[in-house]
Amino acid sequence: MNDEQDPFVVAIVGAGLFGLSTLERIVASAPDFFPVTGRSIQIHLIDPYLGRGSRTWPVEQPAQLWMNSHSGRMTMFTDDSSTCQGPVRKGPNLQEWAAGAGETLSADVTLDGLVGPVSPYRWASRSLMGKYLVWFLDHVEKSAPKNVRIHRHRREAVRMESASDGGRDLEWLWLKGEADPVRCDRVILAQGRPPFRLSDEQASERRTLRSVGIGYEPPGPATEEKAARVRPGESVLMRGMGLTFFDYLQLFTTVRGGTFHRLTDGALRYEPSGREPRVFAVSRRGVCPRPMRWWPVGKPLTSCAAPQFTSTELFVRLARQADRDEALREVQRRMEAEVYHFYYHELLTSGDAADESAWPRFRAEFISSFDGSPEWRDQVLAKYVASDDHLDLPHLVDPLEGQLFPDLPYLQSWMRRHIASATNQVLSMKNAGDLAMRSALSCMYEAIFRAAGEDSTERSVEFFGAAAQWVRTVVSTLTGGAPWPRQLELQALSRSGVVTFLGRGVSMSVDHASGAVRWSSGSAPASIEVDHVMEARQASASLGLTTDAVLREVSRRAGDGRLARTAVGQTRREQRLDVAPTGNLLHSGAGASRTVYVVGFDTSVPVHTPGLPRADSDSDVFHMTDRVARHVLGSVQQTERELTGSKDER
């Protein structure tokens, strides 16, 4: 081995969002650590989906499947808002790239008369995002310094072993179908959303259903392969009414030849192709999450309220309280009050009902009423706020709680009215109250993460996780729904009989004598039989269930204690690897790994705002990938110094 000539080798396993962003950050920062005339860096990018987008964003999926954010907000580039340590390297966002490349964002009869075909306020297809990632990789490779070379491997990483050679700590990485391993100085695991096997509970349910001839699909992304198992005319129970549910609806309707037609009153009519199944929809709350704000309508906040009921200090104090149940009740009470506080601030300081003197008086009385009776708070509201503008947060989050309808037809009518009301609110010019609530939730989420940084004991982390999960649940309910055009389509599918709502939860009963399985609605006195059950939701991020061989090996190295730890913002069913802020894998009882890094929402410590980075937002996704990239470069730079020093001593 010749240290003066041997390049440093970095492997990145996974070429999705986190893998490509980390690659770009390495390329951007490489000149800060290694001059062009110095030692070269070889980067091996490993992913079986290379050239096809990614596992999450394959280019071959139907164009009817949409992203859930406006195309003008999605980007893979840092910009003027970025404060990460590495260099800012600007580039086109998804909408700008699509316009320049002559690509179609999406096709939709409800949007065509409102925004142009390349408008930044138009949603893009998921397949187009895959094409953007393919282009982005080419762009990054072309912009790399001369001493940085990128090798692409369209294969799966199947095995990894630690080694040492000439004073260098190494990892041997085997790829499927290749006999010789890649010799790596550093390995960055960026699989993002790895595949999972069924949990014991899911496997048991699948065996039960298959024994009586009913198909079962576990949680995970909606795919054509899964949808094809449901034949035309069959009935399918869809458990979950979030984004995955809407993807399945497209696969069962428009992808199979059905069409939507816009009526003169703005409503949609669905014309079936005859190849649709009959869909029964149910979820834990029984309703779809409200669609995200549509920025062409409405107005920004006049001025954002300052937190009054929550703070970093409060979260730290409650996390250390001896009575955990009481602390959780108190923190939820305060977080709810904060949401109300932000909402009424916006209501009373803007719009037609604004009164310069009303807000200070209301604020003082509302704060005083916090420890009072509900009746007192109602009296305060009645003095300042019209009854139609009162906020009922529990009902907004769970509107079917306690409701029982006389029959399924009555429930269908109620659901269509509910979906229409939520959609109309998004399209209203007076929707800043929703934005104010989101701002309150964002402030609290940031405070929870700051508090977790001050007190990272396992007991406190569990408390912070529960608090953050409450915020995430409310956020996803208020703004996590499918785009509003999809909500109009759902109403049309309900009117056509393709979709039947079952409401809030179902119970299953098995008649072992006849083999019949029936599901009873939790919101109406009705029961059904189906041919298939599909979990219309993403799989829980529990690495104890992953089928990825390399992640299983890394989980073994980390130790069970590291894997089982619940991080802030996770549910107890979610498990991620424990990593340092710089991405290094933490070994149980042995500190941070020098050679293995982990970056990704479902595999390591979560970022505050999961999902694709947003333009002009100083995205913390870039902060994460930039920290990992610069630490990798700094660590191999240190290795070079050690090798040089060792050679000088000889």
Side-chain angles (χ1 to χ4, degrees):
M1 180 180 71
N2 187 331
D3 291 333
E4 293 182 350
Q5 296 179 356
D6 272 3
F8 280 118
V9 177
V10 177
I12 301 177
V13 182
L17 161 63
F18 288 99
L20 291 182
S21 179
T22 305
L23 172 68
E24 188 276 334
R25 292 287 80 201
I26 290 176
V27 168
S29 288
D32 293 348
F33 295 86
F34 291 91
V36 173
T37 56
R39 189 190 295 266
S40 66
I41 301 173
Q42 306 280 337
I43 303 176
H44 293 262
L45 188 61
I46 300 160
D47 193 318
Y49 286 85
L50 273 174
R52 298 169 53 196
S54 70
R55 184 172 181 268
T56 301
W57 310 100
V59 297
E60 64 267 21
Q61 62 187 313
Q64 291 94 328
L65 304 185
W66 285 2
M67 303 177 68
N68 195 40
S69 298
H70 295 144
S71 58
R73 303 201 72 192
M74 299 295 96
T75 187
M76 289 295 292
F77 290 94
T78 49
D79 53 39
D80 289 335
S81 71
S82 301
T83 60
C84 52
Q85 189 176 357
V88 169
R89 302 208 314 174
K90 301 177 184 179
N93 62 36
L94 174 59
Q95 177 267 334
E96 292 167 340
W97 169 80
E103 294 281 356
T104 300
L105 290 172
S106 60
D108 186 78
V109 295
T110 62
L111 287 175
D112 289 341
L114 300 175
V115 293
V118 291
S119 167
Y121 299 112
R122 201 176 188 101
W123 288 273
S125 67
R126 297 171 63 85
S127 58
L128 185 66
M129 183 63 205
K131 293 181 181 180
Y132 180 52
L133 293 180
V134 171
W135 170 84
F136 179 75
L137 173 55
D138 291 339
H139 172 83
V140 170
E141 187 168 13
K142 291 175 183 176
S143 67
K146 291 182 179 179
N147 63 328
V148 176
R149 184 179 177 187
I150 299 170
H151 305 268
R152 305 187 191 193
H153 301 266
R154 191 172 175 176
R155 295 181 182 275
E156 179 184 358
V158 294
R159 181 181 162 203
M160 186 168 69
E161 289 184 5
S162 297
S164 180
D165 184 11
R168 292 166 72 167
D169 293 325
L170 303 171
E171 296 287 339
W172 295 104
L173 188 63
W174 279 265
L175 308 184
K176 188 174 183 178
E178 294 186 4
D180 297 326
V182 181
R183 176 181 176 275
C184 309
D185 291 279
R186 303 291 182 268
V187 174
I188 303 170
L189 301 180
Q191 288 94 323
R193 294 188 178 275
F196 299 98
R197 63 175 174 81
L198 270 64
S199 66
D200 292 343
E201 180 183 356
Q202 292 164 355
S204 175
E205 183 168 17
R206 183 171 66 174
R207 286 193 298 270
T208 299
L209 294 176
R210 285 184 173 179
S211 69
V212 291
I214 297 175
Y216 175 79
E217 289 294 341
T223 65
E224 288 184 281
E225 180 183 6
K226 294 178 183 178
R229 297 179 187 131
V230 181
R231 295 187 292 271
E234 291 185 331
S235 55
V236 55
L237 176 67
M238 302 281 286
R239 296 199 290 208
M241 297 174 66
L243 303 180
T244 304
F245 166 72
F246 281 90
D247 283 345
Y248 272 121
L249 286 185
Q250 294 299 315
L251 294 172
F252 288 144
T253 57
T254 56
V255 174
R256 294 190 178 190
T259 54
F260 290 97
H261 301 276
R262 192 168 181 82
L263 306 178
T264 55
D265 63 357
L268 295 180
R269 176 179 62 84
Y270 180 68
E271 183 175 335
S273 67
R275 300 172 57 209
E276 299 84 356
R278 186 175 182 191
V279 176
F280 292 94
V282 67
S283 69
R284 189 157 52 94
R285 290 183 176 80
V287 295
C288 304
R290 289 154 58 97
M292 185 176 292
R293 174 186 173 97
W294 198 47
W295 291 98
V297 298
K299 60 180 182 179
L301 296 177
T302 52
S303 62
C304 188
Q308 178 64 48
F309 296 93
T310 60
S311 65
T312 299
E313 295 73 23
L314 171 82
F315 289 119
V316 171
R317 177 172 60 81
L318 290 176
R320 295 171 178 173
Q321 189 168 304
D323 189 335
R324 178 50 46 86
D325 291 340
E326 175 57 32
L328 288 173
R329 284 192 293 269
E330 176 67 8
V331 77
Q332 181 172 336
R333 188 168 76 102
R334 286 184 168 274
M335 290 191 296
E336 287 179 349
E338 199 73 272
V339 173
Y340 284 109
H341 173 235
F342 273 60
Y343 172 83
Y344 288 121
H345 173 269
E346 178 62 25
L347 190 69
L348 294 173
T349 58
S350 68
D352 300 334
D355 182 342
E356 290 185 5
S357 63
W359 168 247
R361 298 197 309 272
F362 171 83
R363 178 179 177 274
E365 294 189 43
F366 183 74
I367 292 173
S368 298
S369 74
F370 175 70
D371 291 320
S373 66
E375 291 76 19
W376 185 11
R377 290 195 294 275
D378 290 343
Q379 291 174 14
V380 172
L381 286 176
K383 289 171 58 178
Y384 297 95
V385 181
S387 58
D388 289 346
D389 290 327
H390 286 194
L391 173 63
D392 185 345
L393 186 61
H395 179 75
L396 192 64
V397 172
D398 196 354
L400 282 176
E401 165 69 24
Q403 293 205 59
L404 183 63
F405 297 93
D407 52 37
L408 278 183
Y410 198 104
L411 173 60
Q412 308 314 299
S413 298
W414 183 93
M415 282 291 298
R416 288 194 290 268
R417 290 194 302 270
H418 173 78
I419 296 169
S421 175
T423 304
N424 290 339
Q425 176 65 20
V426 169
L427 298 176
S428 169
M429 294 299 292
K430 299 180 179 180
N431 58 16
D434 289 353
L435 190 57
M437 288 189 285
R438 180 63 186 262
S439 297
L441 294 161
S442 178
C443 286
M444 290 186 288
Y445 207 55
E446 292 285 345
I448 291 168
F449 271 84
R450 287 195 299 270
E454 294 184 17
D455 185 350
S456 58
T457 61
E458 186 167 349
R459 176 181 172 83
S460 294
V461 166
E462 290 180 358
F463 171 85
F464 296 136
Q469 184 59 31
W470 183 89
V471 174
R472 288 174 59 188
T473 297
V474 178
V475 168
S476 64
T477 302
L478 295 183
T479 62
W484 65 263
R486 294 295 190 234
Q487 309 279 345
L488 295 183
E489 293 175 355
L490 180 57
Q491 297 171 59
L493 291 172
S494 172
R495 288 190 293 267
S496 71
V498 172
V499 173
T500 299
F501 302 107
L502 294 181
R504 195 174 185 269
V506 294
S507 57
M508 182 181 76
S509 59
V510 181
D511 185 336
H512 294 284
S514 64
V517 180
R518 298 192 66 85
W519 279 266
S520 299
S521 167
S523 299
S527 62
I528 60 165
E529 295 184 20
V530 297
D531 302 302
H532 301 269
V533 174
M534 304 188 86
E535 305 288 6
R537 55 188 173 86
Q538 291 297 317
S540 295
S542 175
L543 285 184
L545 298 176
T546 186
T547 58
D548 186 292
V550 174
L551 283 176
R552 287 203 308 271
E553 161 60 21
V554 171
S555 298
R556 184 194 62 77
R557 291 192 199 181
D560 293 338
R562 291 293 185 183
L563 181 60
R565 181 177 175 182
T566 302
V568 176
Q570 295 173 235
T571 66
R572 289 181 178 274
R573 297 182 63 185
E574 295 176 322
Q575 294 175 322
R576 293 181 174 91
L577 292 165
D578 198 5
V579 301
T582 50
N584 305 72
L585 176 72
L586 295 177
H587 295 285
S588 182
S593 170
R594 192 176 184 183
T595 55
V596 179
Y597 293 74
V598 185
V599 56
F601 179 64
D602 277 356
T603 51
S604 63
V605 175
V607 294
H608 297 190
T609 52
L612 290 167
R614 297 177 183 275
D616 302 316
S617 68
D618 193 17
S619 171
D620 57 348
V621 170
F622 292 146
H623 279 269
M624 173 188 280
T625 56
D626 187 73
R627 283 196 307 271
V628 172
R630 292 184 69 84
H631 195 272
V632 166
L633 290 167
S635 70
V636 293
Q637 183 187 61
Q638 178 62 31
T639 297
E640 181 172 46
R641 291 170 181 161
E642 293 170 358
L643 291 172
T644 302
S646 176
K647 182 179 178 181
D648 290 342
E649 290 176 4
R650 294 197 301 268

